[in-house]
Amino acid sequence: MALLIINLDKIIGTAAAWRDAFAQQLPDLEIRIWPEAGDPSDIEYLAFMRPDFDSLPAFPKLKAMFTRSAGVEEFAGHPKLPKARLGKIEPAGGDPMMTEYVVMHVLRLHRDMPAYQAAQANREWRRVRIVRPEERRIGFLGYGLMGKAPALALKSLGFPLSAWVRNRRDAAEVPIFHGPDQLEPFLNQTDIAVCLLPLTRETEGIFCARTFAMMPRGAMLVNVGRGKHVVEADLIRALDSGQLSYAALDALWPEPLPAESPLWLHPKVTVMPHVARRPTVAQLAAEIAANIRSIEAGGGLLQEVDIGLGY
């Protein structure tokens, strides 16, 4: 039984770090690092990030694949994508780094920190009314593993919370809106929108002039989903008109953001270089190992991706 690692050693850690981590987790699992794949018939598992499927051989005994990428839109339709189950490499309870990052930006916008920073630069002693948590409605677009933990953390601080998802769900810890027909009522009552959606045909450009107009005047956006969720020109117009008061963007398009982009110097925008979270080799190896143990025991993937849905 062998696991082939593709590109992860170039992006996170080193080949030696991956071998050492799996030696702790699954000492009987043979670790191979692409392009030194050996006999493809030995490979039962793949773990990758940004793979070039055109260059890969067929793996006749492949049981499952694991992707580090949060989204699968870049390869989901590839004609040479192996016909095996695909799993996310994600912790079951969400990532603490994502939780702290989302909470940080929501609190920063809620407490009007950009305006205080601007006042400091002007040597202005700025004292205005402080909005209380119960007066600020937070809405999460996407309520999966990465969204639930920060939503509950913010709820514990007294913020009214709601979420919008693709399909109807049973009652959750927060009110759930679902589907296209409920997007407008959801946005109507959202003061700070937090986007953690996957990128699909339905969600590309979801933040645009039409949806910005659905939000309360002066609303704010935190995007930790995908850069293509936001129509840049529409965002700038909404900020300049006052329809939106601020945007914190961790995901942008393209990345790196070109130097000529107007987002860099816009006074109502925070640009972050896609740094919401940075998992370690040990964390990722532990998640992959847990999935392999489940499969070898006759179970399934812990967090399987539906290629058809795109997440």
Side-chain angles (χ1 to χ4, degrees):
M1 182 171 65
L3 165 70
L4 177 62
I5 292 174
I6 303 170
N7 287 343
L8 286 169
D9 60 303
K10 299 178 179 65
I11 299 169
I12 305 170
T14 63
W18 283 97
R19 294 185 190 281
D20 291 345
F22 277 107
Q24 296 292 321
Q25 294 287 337
L26 289 172
D28 294 332
L29 178 66
E30 183 182 355
I31 303 300
R32 298 181 184 176
I33 308 293
W34 179 258
E36 297 177 5
D39 185 349
S41 65
D42 296 335
I43 306 298
E44 296 185 26
Y45 298 98
L46 298 179
F48 54 71
M49 188 171 183
R50 301 171 190 162
D52 176 11
F53 287 114
D54 288 322
S55 68
L56 298 180
F59 301 106
K61 296 182 180 179
L62 191 64
K63 295 179 180 178
M65 308 177 289
F66 306 100
T67 175
R68 166 62 190 91
S69 302
V72 299
E73 64 275 1
E74 293 182 357
F75 61 81
H78 197 287
K80 292 189 178 180
L81 179 70
K83 306 300 183 185
R85 291 176 290 178
L86 176 64
K88 297 179 182 178
I89 314 175
E90 302 287 5
D95 190 320
M97 291 185 75
M98 178 64 81
T99 298
E100 70 181 25
Y101 188 87
V102 170
V103 171
M104 172 188 72
H105 277 297
V106 169
L107 292 181
R108 178 172 169 265
L109 299 188
H110 164 64
R111 291 304 299 263
D112 204 15
M113 290 307 296
Y116 284 111
Q117 289 176 300
Q120 178 180 344
N122 293 326
R123 303 181 186 184
E124 174 190 350
W125 191 254
R126 181 177 184 266
R127 290 178 64 85
V128 297
R129 179 181 177 273
I130 298 174
V131 178
R132 293 190 56 80
E134 59 268 23
E135 300 176 86
R136 188 84 74 185
R137 301 162 296 181
I138 314 299
F140 278 71
L141 292 93
Y143 195 65
L145 295 173
M146 292 299 114
K148 184 175 179 180
L152 294 182
L154 290 164
K155 182 180 179 182
S156 74
L157 295 176
F159 292 96
L161 262 292
S162 62
W164 180 81
V165 297
R166 177 186 176 120
N167 296 312
R168 181 188 297 274
R169 293 190 188 178
D170 294 333
E173 304 87 352
V174 304
I176 299 290
F177 296 75
H178 71 277
D181 292 343
Q182 293 187 11
L183 179 59
E184 183 167 3
F186 165 77
L187 290 176
N188 285 167
Q189 51 89 71
T190 296
D191 298 313
I192 300 179
V194 180
C195 181
L196 280 158
L197 291 168
L199 184 63
T200 66
R201 289 187 299 273
E202 293 78 16
T203 65
E204 183 171 342
I206 192 169
F207 282 103
C208 60
R210 182 180 66 88
T211 49
F212 291 143
M214 297 175 184
M215 301 174 73
R217 186 167 179 81
M220 293 169 271
L221 171 64
V222 177
N223 184 28
V224 282
R226 288 287 179 270
K228 288 186 178 181
H229 284 139
V230 179
V231 179
E232 180 181 301
D234 290 357
L235 173 64
I236 291 172
R237 280 192 289 268
L239 292 167
D240 290 345
S241 71
Q243 177 59 26
L244 294 189
S245 62
Y246 211 84
L249 309 174
D250 185 64
L252 299 119
W253 181 260
E255 292 183 359
L257 190 66
E260 63 272 16
S261 171
L263 294 174
W264 281 114
L265 299 179
H266 197 288
K268 296 181 180 180
V269 175
T270 295
V271 170
M272 298 291 285
H274 212 138
V275 292
R277 62 192 184 111
R278 194 71 55 83
T280 65
V281 171
Q283 288 174 312
L284 296 173
E287 295 301 324
I288 295 171
N291 277 275
I292 292 176
R293 291 191 197 99
S294 175
I295 291 172
E296 294 298 316
L301 290 169
L302 302 182
Q303 294 151 40
E304 187 165 356
V305 175
D306 185 321
I307 292 292
L309 293 178
Y311 59 92

